[in-house]
Each structure stands twice: as C-alpha cells, then as structure tokens.
Amino acid sequence: MNAAIATTTLLLCLTALAAKAQYVMGNEAVHLMPDGSTRVETPPTQQVLMPKPCPAASPACTGGGWRMVETQRGLMECTEIYARASTCRTSTYGALKRSRLWIVKTGGQWMQCSYPDLSKGCVSTKSLPSPKVQ
C-alpha cells in the first residue's frame, strides 16, 4: 500500500512540475493582485500595423511556430504575439512537440524566448524569431 501511495504522489508531483514548466518565472506581464486574482498583460496592438487575424484552428497559420502567450485564460498557443481572440488555443505544451516561442515581458520590454526561461535565448519581439521544437 505504501508503494502505491508513493507512486501516486510521485506522479502527481511530476504532473505539477510539467504543468509549471510551461510558465516563465519572472514574466512581468503576469501580476498577482492583492485580492489573490491575476491580471495579465499581452503585447499592445496600438501603433502596430495589424494583419487580418490568422485563426489558431487553421493549419495554414502555424508555419512559423506557436507563440506561447500568458492570457487571462492561462497559457495559450497563439499564431501571433498579440493573443487576439481567434488566434489562440489551449496550450499543448508537455503533450505535443511543436515549434514554440515564449512571449514575455522583462525589463519593461516584450521579448520572445526560445525556451520558457528568461536566461535562455530571449530577443526583442522586434527581432527575427528562432523557435525551438519543444
């Protein structure tokens, strides 16, 4: 019985760690509010020439890889960094291997990172991306 409990506990811990790995620690776009709720910023669309949204449901829209963006609905896979409504879907990180870039705010600047880690491969969202299969 103890082995079964230990195995179940280990599986739950590994699942929790895998789920946490998709979030980028230090992402300034995610704010914990005094009441315990979370407020999330997404890259601003003002002063940006916006193309027609490319829906996340369309296979033709993901040729450049997925943009992993924190939203009020949680971490989403998006076809763009702005996370407009039709351009995002629920994250498959940890379940499916795909080309991904992590969109984060650090030092007041919007960055795209090759991994969910601010210390690894982050460049400005104004630079050419370098998605990694994860």
Side-chain angles (χ1 to χ4, degrees):
M1 185 70 127
N2 287 341
I5 292 172
T7 302
T8 302
T9 303
L10 178 62
L11 287 174
L12 289 172
C13 289
L14 290 174
T15 301
L17 285 173
K20 185 175 176 147
Q22 64 185 317
Y23 300 100
V24 180
M25 298 302 289
N27 184 357
E28 296 170 7
V30 180
H31 306 278
L32 182 59
M33 305 308 286
D35 66 358
S37 65
T38 303
R39 182 176 56 87
V40 181
E41 291 179 70
T42 54
T45 57
Q46 304 91 327
Q47 302 177 354
V48 176
L49 183 58
M50 299 294 292
K52 180 180 174 189
C54 199
S58 172
C61 293
T62 60
W66 290 96
R67 292 352 179 227
M68 305 302 291
V69 183
E70 281 286 347
T71 70
Q72 280 304 136
R73 296 181 302 166
L75 186 72
M76 304 293 280
E77 291 178 344
C78 305
T79 60
E80 62 180 16
I81 67 171
Y82 306 105
R84 291 184 283 176
S86 67
T87 65
C88 297
R89 68 181 190 185
T90 303
S91 172
T92 62
Y93 181 75
L96 297 173
K97 292 207 177 267
R98 303 184 183 279
S99 292
R100 294 184 166 92
L101 283 172
W102 304 85
I103 307 304
V104 298
K105 188 175 186 182
T106 183
Q109 302 293 315
W110 286 100
M111 306 291 280
Q112 49 193 349
C113 303
S114 299
Y115 299 96
D117 185 337
L118 291 176
S119 68
K120 295 182 180 176
C122 296
V123 298
S124 169
T125 54
K126 298 172 185 166
S127 301
L128 291 174
S130 178
K132 303 291 183 200
V133 175
Q134 301 173 32

